[in-house]
Amino acid sequence: MANKTVTDLKGKLPWQAKLGYGGIGLHTMGTVMFSTWQMYFYTTFAGLDILAAGTIASVGTILAAFTAPVWGYISDRLYATKIGRKYGRRRLTLAISLPGLFFNLAQFVPGLPALAYGITNCLAIMLTAGISTVQYVLPSEMSSNQQERAQLVGINQITVAVANIIVSITSTLLFSVWGQDHWTTFFWMLLIYSAASVVVLIVTICTIRERPFDETTDLAQADSNTGSGDEKVPLLKRIPLIVWNYVSAFSVKEFRNYLGMYLCQALFRSVRGAILTYFLIFVLGLQASDVSISQGVSFAFGILLVGFFMWLNSKIGGTNSYRLGALETIVVFLLMFALAKFHTSIGRAGTVTLWIVLTLALNFGITGVVNACDLHFSFMPDVDEILTGKRREAQYASINSTIDNIFYSIEKIAIAAVLAGVGFVENATSQPEPVVNALTIIFCFVPIALCFVGLFFSFRVKLNDDNRKILSAEIERLRNGGSKDDVTPEAKEVVETLTGWKYEHCWGNNRVVNFTRRIENPAK
C-alpha cells in the first residue's frame, strides 16, 4: 500500500481509509464491556472488597501511564526499521498491540488470587496502550486538511458510540438468555467482544493512510547530535530520551492549555462511567439490564449530535462549542441530582423514563466537549512541527494516554477509598444511606466542578481558525525551504503565541527532541 506525499494529504481521503480509521472506535466494544462491569465483577463474583477492587483497577492504569510514552516514542520511530518503512509505523504499532485484547479474560474468572487479577489487568492495559496511541494519532497523521480531520474526529466519535450501542443491545440480549447472576455470562460476553475487536482492527491495519517516510518523519535526524541521522543512538541514551521527549512536550504553551480542557472533560466522563452501575442500581434502584439499555439509547442519540457539532464548530469555533457543551452538562447533572433525591415518589417506570431523557440530554454536552477537544488535539502536532521541524503525533498521543491513566487511577482509588470509608457492603443488593449519599454526590457534583475548570481553560487556548491557517502556511513555507528570516510579523506572532517560544528557536533550533542536540543559540 503506497503512502501519499505530504502535498497529497491536503486532498480528500478515500472512504475506505475513513472507515478503516473507524475500526479503532469499534474496537472499544471489549473495553466498554470490561470497564462497565470490572468493579462489579470484582466485588460480586471474585470476592474482593471495594478497596482491593479499586486498587487492582488502578495499579494497571498507573503502569500504563509509564508505558504510554514508550509506545509513543517507538511508534514515531518505527520508520527507522525496514518493516516499519514497508508497512507503516502506525500499522505496525497496531499489529504489536493486538494480543493484549485477550488478557482481560482472566479477570472475569472468579476464585483467582488478587495478584492474578492485578497482573492480567496490568498486562492488558500496557499492551493495548499502543492502540489508544494510534487512535489519537491518525486524524493529523492521515490528513492535513481541516475538514478531513474534522470528519475523522467525527467518525471516531460515531464508531465509539456504535460500539457502545452494540454492547448495549448484545449485552441486554445475552443477560436475558444467560442471566446476570453467574460469572460465565460476563466471561463469554467479554470473549465475544474481544474477538470482534481483533477483527475490526485487522481491517483498520489494512486500510488506514499514513504520512510517508520523509524529512519530517525521519526522527533519526533529530535524535542525533549533529542532525545528520547517521549516528547510532545507544540504548542507554534512548531511555532518558523517552523521558525527555515526554517532559519537553509540555513546553508547548498551546498544548498545556489544551490539556486543561481535555482533562476536565475526560475526568468527568470517567467519574460518571466508574460509578454509573453503582449509581443506577444502589441510588436509583434500577437493574443491570437498565444500565445497558440506558447506555445504548444515549449513544444512539450521540451519533446524531456528532454531525451537529461538526457543523457548529465550523460556525462558532471549537472553544465556543466546548463552552456550550460544558454549560449544558452542568445543568443536566443538577437535574440528575434532583432525580436521585425524588425518584421514589415517581416509581420505577418514571425513574427509568426520566433517566433516559436526562441521559440523552447529557449526551449533548458530552458530544460537544469531546468533539471540540478531539478536533483541537488534531492540530497539536502542527504546533509541535513548527517548533521541532518533525512530525511527532504519537508523542502527543502518548501524553494524552499517560495523563488519562494517571488521573483515572487516582480517581478510582479515591472513589474506592471514599466508598469503603462510608461503609460500602460487597456482594449486596442494597447499600447503607451514607453510601447512597456518597454515590450521589460523587456522581453529580464532581463532574460539575470539573466542567467549571474546563471552562476556565477554554478561554486560554488560542488556536482558532485564523491562527490555524497562518500556522499551516508558515509550516509549508519552511518545509519547502523558505528562510526563517523571511517570516512575516503576523506569522511570527502566531508561532510565538502558540508555542511559547521565540521564533528564532523554532523549526528545530532547540533541544525539545534531543537534550544533546547542537543548536545555533541554546537560549530560549
Side-chain angles (χ1 to χ4, degrees):
M1 290 171 281
N3 279 316
K4 293 291 184 181
T5 64
V6 173
T7 302
D8 289 332
L9 291 173
K10 294 180 180 178
K12 288 188 175 182
L13 286 167
W15 64 268
Q16 297 96 326
K18 294 178 181 178
L19 291 180
Y21 173 59
I24 302 185
L26 285 176
H27 111 278
T28 58
M29 290 180 290
T31 304
V32 169
M33 189 272 165
F34 179 75
S35 61
T36 300
W37 299 104
Q38 181 185 19
M39 294 281 286
Y40 183 80
F41 189 94
Y42 283 168
T43 56
T44 303
F45 298 106
L48 300 177
D49 60 61
I50 186 67
L51 191 56
T55 301
I56 290 173
S58 301
V59 168
T61 309
I62 293 172
L63 288 178
F66 295 99
T67 305
V70 179
W71 275 109
Y73 186 88
I74 292 174
S75 185
D76 279 337
R77 288 160 176 79
L78 281 175
Y79 272 151
T81 66
K82 290 183 180 179
I83 189 173
R85 290 193 294 271
K86 182 176 181 180
Y87 294 106
R89 54 181 182 170
R90 310 309 183 195
R91 296 186 185 96
L92 191 56
T93 302
L94 288 174
I96 296 171
S97 302
L98 286 180
L101 293 171
F102 292 103
F103 275 92
N104 275 334
L105 291 174
Q107 294 182 78
F108 275 11
V109 176
L112 299 180
L115 182 61
Y117 293 118
I119 291 175
T120 53
N121 188 47
C122 292
L123 289 174
I125 294 178
M126 291 169 66
L127 286 173
T128 56
I131 300 174
S132 59
T133 296
V134 176
Q135 185 174 18
Y136 283 120
V137 157
L138 287 179
S140 58
E141 176 86 17
M142 293 174 67
S143 178
S144 296
N145 184 303
Q146 179 176 342
Q147 296 302 318
E148 293 296 298
R149 287 184 181 180
Q151 288 185 23
L152 291 173
V153 167
I155 287 171
N156 182 61
Q157 283 187 270
I158 289 172
T159 52
V160 169
V162 169
N164 278 270
I165 293 171
I166 292 172
V167 171
S168 171
I169 295 173
T170 307
S171 297
T172 301
L173 175 62
L174 293 178
F175 277 136
S176 65
V177 175
W178 292 337
Q180 61 189 52
D181 298 323
H182 199 274
W183 70 269
T184 55
T185 299
F186 298 89
F187 177 87
W188 287 111
M189 285 168 60
L190 183 58
L191 178 60
I192 291 171
Y193 295 132
S194 298
S197 298
V198 170
V199 172
V200 296
L201 283 177
I202 290 174
V203 174
T204 296
I205 292 171
C206 296
T207 55
I208 58 173
R209 293 288 182 91
E210 299 191 38
R211 287 182 178 269
F213 176 67
D214 59 16
E215 185 176 354
T216 62
T217 55
D218 182 9
L219 272 294
Q221 294 180 341
D223 288 339
S224 66
N225 293 338
T226 62
S228 65
D230 297 329
E231 306 166 40
K232 186 174 182 179
V233 181
L235 179 61
L236 290 179
K237 184 183 177 183
R238 290 284 185 191
I239 296 174
L241 274 177
I242 292 173
V243 178
W244 177 261
N245 274 258
Y246 178 86
V247 174
S248 64
F250 286 92
S251 67
V252 179
K253 184 178 181 180
E254 185 69 4
F255 183 60
R256 296 195 301 269
N257 291 327
Y258 152 79
L259 278 178
M261 289 173 54
Y262 169 78
L263 268 179
C264 289
Q265 62 88 9
L267 285 175
F268 93 67
R269 290 189 299 117
S270 176
V271 169
R272 171 179 174 264
I275 63 171
L276 174 63
T277 303
Y278 287 150
F279 182 79
L280 291 183
I281 293 175
F282 298 128
V283 177
L284 298 184
L286 303 182
Q287 299 176 356
S289 58
D290 295 321
V291 177
S292 296
I293 292 171
S294 64
Q295 284 182 310
V297 173
S298 65
F299 278 103
F301 184 62
I303 292 176
L304 300 177
L305 291 173
V306 170
F308 170 76
F309 274 102
M310 289 172 63
W311 169 82
L312 191 64
N313 283 340
S314 66
K315 295 298 182 182
I316 67 174
T319 52
N320 286 326
S321 293
Y322 182 96
R323 292 164 196 156
L324 177 63
L327 289 171
E328 196 266 355
T329 296
I330 291 170
V331 173
V332 174
F333 272 112
L334 288 174
L335 292 174
M336 286 182 171
F337 175 73
L339 178 62
K341 290 299 180 183
F342 301 108
H343 73 278
T344 54
S345 62
I346 60 175
R348 182 180 181 279
T351 300
V352 172
T353 301
L354 283 179
W355 172 255
I356 291 176
V357 171
L358 290 176
T359 302
L360 294 178
L362 182 61
N363 262 270
F364 181 91
I366 290 176
T367 305
V369 295
V370 171
N371 188 270
C373 281
D374 287 355
L375 182 59
H376 199 75
F377 175 79
S378 72
F379 294 96
M380 289 302 101
D382 299 335
V383 180
D384 183 73
E385 184 178 1
I386 199 67
L387 179 62
T388 65
K390 300 296 178 182
R391 299 295 304 189
R392 298 192 303 158
E393 283 89 351
Q395 182 63 61
Y396 284 85
S398 70
I399 292 175
N400 263 28
S401 296
T402 300
I403 295 293
D404 281 351
N405 291 327
I406 289 175
F407 280 90
Y408 289 172
S409 61
I410 294 173
E411 168 197 290
K412 287 179 180 178
I413 292 174
I415 291 174
V418 169
L419 294 180
V422 295
F424 185 91
V425 181
E426 290 79 18
N427 199 21
T429 57
S430 63
Q431 295 293 332
E433 185 176 355
V435 175
V436 173
N437 291 335
L439 286 169
T440 303
I441 292 171
I442 294 171
F443 188 85
C444 297
F445 289 105
V446 171
I448 289 174
L450 289 168
C451 283
F452 276 117
V453 177
L455 286 170
F456 166 78
F457 280 103
S458 73
F459 288 96
R460 295 178 60 87
V461 297
K462 304 298 180 184
L463 194 57
N464 54 36
D465 287 342
D466 292 335
N467 286 345
R468 273 197 286 264
K469 293 175 183 177
I470 295 170
L471 175 67
S472 178
E474 182 63 10
I475 289 174
E476 186 172 359
R477 187 183 73 83
L478 294 175
R479 191 186 285 153
N480 292 330
S483 172
K484 289 169 65 177
D485 294 333
D486 297 330
V487 64
T488 65
E490 184 182 37
K492 181 178 181 180
E493 181 182 1
V494 168
V495 169
E496 292 183 347
T497 297
L498 296 176
T499 63
W501 290 66
K502 293 293 185 183
Y503 181 86
E504 293 75 15
H505 304 299
C506 293
W507 201 246
N509 187 33
N510 52 66
R511 295 194 175 107
V512 172
V513 178
N514 183 358
F515 56 82
T516 60
R517 177 80 180 273
R518 298 173 191 170
I519 57 177
E520 298 171 10
N521 183 350
K524 182 178 175 181

